[in-house]
Amino acid sequence: MDLGALDLGTRKFWRAVGRRVDLAGEHAWLRAPMSDGAQVRDGWLEAEAAAYGGVVREGVPGAGLLRSVSELDGPGFNAADLRPEIRDFYEHTTDWRMEVWVAWSPLFWPAGELVSRMFGQRLEQLALPMRPLDVARGMDSRIAVITDADDVQQAAGWLRTIRATGDYAFSGCYSTRRLPGADRAGVHVAFPLESGNVQVFLRPDHGDDGSLWLRSPGERFGGNGAYVIAQDRGRTYASRAPIHETFHVYVDDEGVLRTDHTLRLWSASAVRLHYKLERHR
């Protein structure tokens, strides 16, 4: 099979179902890193830093996905109400170690396996683990801080690899971003792909127990949720994707930080992941 033709055909599909967008103007809220080649890994970092007029800083002690969780503050959300362990994880992610468990719905497992083999493992991007043993030894993660010209963090690359093999599973760009007309910022995650990306806008809320909820509901275009961006013949197209995610980050009865992650296609649960997070520094 000509896999290059497969990738091109995929972009053509998203062009057909999407709408043309202007990332330098009206739709600047959708501007996010893309990959120059089929294999993603960490090749997009330098270009993203250049877009901010800054640099990529690797190995920064205590680096986090977000400069400060308080950037999410607004009507209905106050970062000070979160458990301190949760804030510490997002602001000092490199100080935490992760273990992962995965459970696929039998209905979606065959499609997930096909996508993993044809895209995820080959591109080294969005390679969701398919079996519990795939991540039995856990995941390693690396934070690359992306700064602007004033050396202020604007985003962070979170590069996660399977500990047993060293293969990339996820290579994402994390930041805070306010959607058009929104009353407060949310968490923005972009996964670069060749001539495009997958983006997720997550709305934060906190529970009475100090836990954090991040949700990407099925809102209209311009609202929270998942988007696929594709470039074709010098034009850029964007489409809503029927992917809805929920993250619940909490501290259990034994004081352990954990995350329950559910990914749904339309209204059906496709895969559930559970993360155990332990501070190692």
Side-chain angles (χ1 to χ4, degrees), residues 263-276:
L263 187 151
R264 292 178 291 117
L265 292 176
W266 291 279
S267 60
S269 176
V271 60
R272 292 181 295 115
L273 297 102
H274 177 78
Y275 303 89
K276 179 182 178 183

Side-chain angles (χ1 to χ4, degrees), residues 167-184:
D167 294 336
Y168 277 72
F170 303 99
S171 178
C173 183
Y174 288 71
S175 63
T176 60
R177 188 169 295 188
R178 180 175 294 193
L179 288 163
D183 57 358
R184 53 184 165 90

Side-chain angles (χ1 to χ4, degrees), residues 66-251:
L66 304 179
R67 183 174 61 218
S68 173
V69 180
S70 62
E71 293 178 357
L72 301 172
D73 285 354
F77 185 85
N78 185 350
D81 292 332
L82 295 174
R83 289 284 300 250
E85 299 94 330
I86 296 173
R87 292 194 60 165
D88 188 74
F89 170 74
Y90 280 95
E91 295 173 353
H92 305 287
T93 313
T94 55
D95 294 341
W96 292 78
R97 183 179 174 91
M98 177 186 304
E99 294 184 52
V100 188
W101 291 264
V102 60
W104 278 85
S105 161
L107 178 64
F108 288 99
W109 189 91
E113 176 73 4
L114 181 65
V115 170
S116 178
R117 288 177 179 271
M118 297 185 69
F119 293 99
Q121 295 175 18
R122 176 172 59 89
L123 306 181
E124 295 200 65
Q125 175 64 293
L126 295 173
L128 282 166
M130 298 306 302
R131 303 164 184 81
L133 286 179
D134 290 347
V135 286
R137 297 184 184 178
M139 274 189 179
D140 289 322
S141 70
R142 163 176 141 231
I143 299 293
V145 176
I146 298 168
T147 73
D148 61 16
D150 296 320
D151 204 31
V152 176
Q153 178 174 336
Q154 295 298 317
W158 193 13
L159 313 169
R160 283 171 283 176
T161 55
I162 304 298
R163 189 171 299 150
T165 64
D167 294 336
Y168 277 72
F170 303 99
S171 178
C173 183
Y174 288 71
S175 63
T176 60
R177 188 169 295 188
R178 180 175 294 193
L179 288 163
D183 57 358
R184 53 184 165 90
V187 175
H188 176 246
V189 187
F191 297 100
L193 297 168
E194 183 178 12
S195 300
N197 53 55
V198 174
Q199 301 182 37
V200 183
F201 292 86
L202 296 152
R203 181 175 175 85
D205 292 291
H206 44 65
D208 294 337
D209 58 354
S211 63
L212 172 66
W213 290 88
L214 295 171
R215 299 181 177 94
S216 62
E219 298 178 0
R220 59 176 175 77
F221 191 94
N224 291 290
Y227 295 79
V228 176
I229 311 300
Q231 288 186 334
D232 186 55
R233 296 185 178 182
R235 297 179 177 181
T236 306
Y237 301 85
S239 175
R240 285 301 310 264
I243 300 170
H244 310 295
E245 294 184 87
T246 300
F247 297 83
H248 184 210
V249 190
Y250 61 95
V251 177

